[in-house]
Amino acid sequence: MDIKLLETFQAVIESQSMTGAARVLGVTQPAISTQIARLEAQVGFALFERVNGRLKASRQGRLFYAEVRNALGMIERLAQDADTIRKGTSETITVASHPSASISILPAVVAELRQRRPMARIRMINRTSEEVRAIFETGAVDVAIAEWPIHIPDISLKRYKVPCMAVLPATHPLADKKVIAPADLTDTPLIGMPVTRLIGHQVQNAFIECDVGFTPMIESEYFSSMCALAATGCGVGIVDRWSAEMFQPLGLAVRSFQPTILYEIGVFTRPNPPATPIFDEFMALLDQRLKAPYPETSERGDG
């Protein structure tokens, strides 16, 4: 389909007349009419109709316009991408990560990267850890983040561990405690992670080893949901430190949990990653974010 015909159609729609489109495009009004007729012949339906003497887009024309606008926008972006590649100024990185990292870790990293490199383009793919591994193996991403354990041959891998924290409403009676143990939660509704997940299994074992029953009233696969549920008063959850930190402004009290449960993720790249400044800067910012110290309980606000 001729792009010039699509551009003419867009101009007619947006100027609301063929005369206006002719003025915008610098051609005659008969030339616009001819191009619209050619496009209608190609698509097989009328793009416009006359209503009280005025030209209006038909129902099919309105639907077609939405698609044309998207298509021309993509072509414009392709032209811009080609220009940046030609000039050697392309700054693009693709990251695949599991949901917790996408929500609680990457936003701060991406924000800092965009501040330093306003022209940077970041594509974030959010999948389960198993799907992240599969996507990485296809070669479609530059960096991948997934929960441990990770079994992929021939990769560069960095592992990060953080303690899990107890999250509860800021007004909860247990918020007065600096450290929360399973015994403190015997009569408290719990929000848990499925035990089929490694971290869910570890939390369950911590309760069992302390001779405390572990029967969550609510079960969720995502730390973000567990934090939101805790903030609304549904119970107490045990989540990774990064999620606790991200969602604390919702009105959460975040407290140390004993016995210590470590949540571990892996950041992996290829042995020979792309030699681009944006890749190096992204990896440095990500490492900084994952190693950042978390303030002690006495220094944290809980509301």
Side-chain angles (χ1 to χ4, degrees):
M1 192 167 290
D2 192 332
I3 292 176
K4 288 186 178 180
L5 298 184
L6 299 180
E7 291 173 338
T8 298
F9 172 62
Q10 183 180 43
V12 174
I13 288 281
E14 294 178 357
S15 62
Q16 298 183 334
S17 73
M18 291 194 183
T19 302
R23 189 164 48 248
V24 169
L25 298 176
V27 298
T28 65
Q29 190 271 335
I32 295 292
S33 298
T34 298
Q35 290 176 351
I36 292 299
R38 285 179 56 197
L39 183 59
E40 288 179 328
Q42 288 186 16
V43 298
F45 51 80
L47 296 170
F48 296 96
E49 57 189 18
R50 290 281 178 181
V51 178
N52 298 325
R54 299 189 62 182
L55 190 70
K56 292 187 64 176
S58 65
R59 183 182 66 83
Q60 295 97 328
R62 290 194 298 272
L63 294 173
F64 188 57
Y65 169 67
E67 300 301 327
V68 167
R69 185 176 56 184
N70 290 336
L72 291 178
M74 290 179 64
I75 291 170
E76 182 179 356
R77 287 192 292 274
L78 281 173
Q80 293 172 349
D81 289 344
D83 186 57
T84 56
I85 291 170
R86 183 174 61 255
K87 294 176 180 177
T89 58
S90 178
E91 293 192 317
T92 302
I93 189 167
T94 302
V95 185
S97 62
H98 68 294
S100 183
S102 294
I103 295 168
S104 301
I105 296 172
L106 287 178
V109 175
V110 169
E112 179 66 22
L113 185 65
R114 290 274 300 152
Q115 279 191 345
R116 298 185 183 191
R117 296 180 173 272
M119 297 303 294
R121 296 181 61 188
I122 301 94
R123 183 182 180 216
M124 295 172 58
I125 300 174
N126 183 3
R127 298 288 190 274
T128 66
S129 290
E130 292 74 18
E131 290 171 324
V132 167
R133 295 184 185 98
I135 292 172
F136 181 82
E137 289 183 301
T138 67
V141 299
D142 302 306
V143 185
I145 308 171
E147 291 182 340
W148 189 258
I150 296 165
H151 302 297
I152 303 176
D154 302 322
I155 61 170
S156 296
L157 173 68
K158 291 192 73 171
R159 295 165 61 177
Y160 298 87
K161 298 179 183 181
V162 290
C164 287
M165 315 292 285
V167 291
L168 55 157
T171 56
H172 196 284
L174 289 175
D176 291 334
K177 298 177 68 69
K178 290 187 177 181
V179 179
I180 292 178
D184 299 317
L185 301 172
T186 51
D187 297 318
T188 301
L190 298 175
I191 306 166
M193 182 79 67
V195 294
T196 52
R197 294 270 300 278
L198 175 60
I199 190 65
H201 182 68
Q202 290 173 320
V203 172
Q204 181 188 60
N205 282 349
F207 277 75
I208 292 173
E209 289 172 3
C210 293
D211 201 25
V212 176
F214 182 73
T215 308
M217 301 301 293
I218 303 173
E219 189 174 272
S220 173
E221 294 185 343
Y222 300 114
F223 285 137
S224 56
S225 297
M226 293 172 66
C227 289
L229 288 163
T232 57
C234 289
V236 176
I238 311 301
V239 305
D240 70 294
R241 192 203 77 187
W242 295 304
S243 296
E245 181 182 32
M246 183 71 179
F247 288 92
Q248 188 172 349
L250 289 181
L252 287 175
V254 179
R255 298 293 177 260
S256 296
F257 182 78
Q258 292 294 330
T260 299
I261 300 172
L262 294 178
Y263 177 67
E264 185 171 4
I265 66 170
V267 176
F268 44 107
T269 59
R270 302 181 201 294
N272 297 304
T276 59
I278 189 174
F279 177 85
D280 294 338
E281 195 154 5
F282 175 84
M283 294 301 292
L285 289 171
L286 180 60
D287 184 70
Q288 179 182 337
R289 170 79 176 95
L290 295 176
K291 289 181 177 177
Y294 192 56
E296 294 300 320
T297 302
S298 60
E299 298 175 1
R300 295 199 296 269
D302 294 322

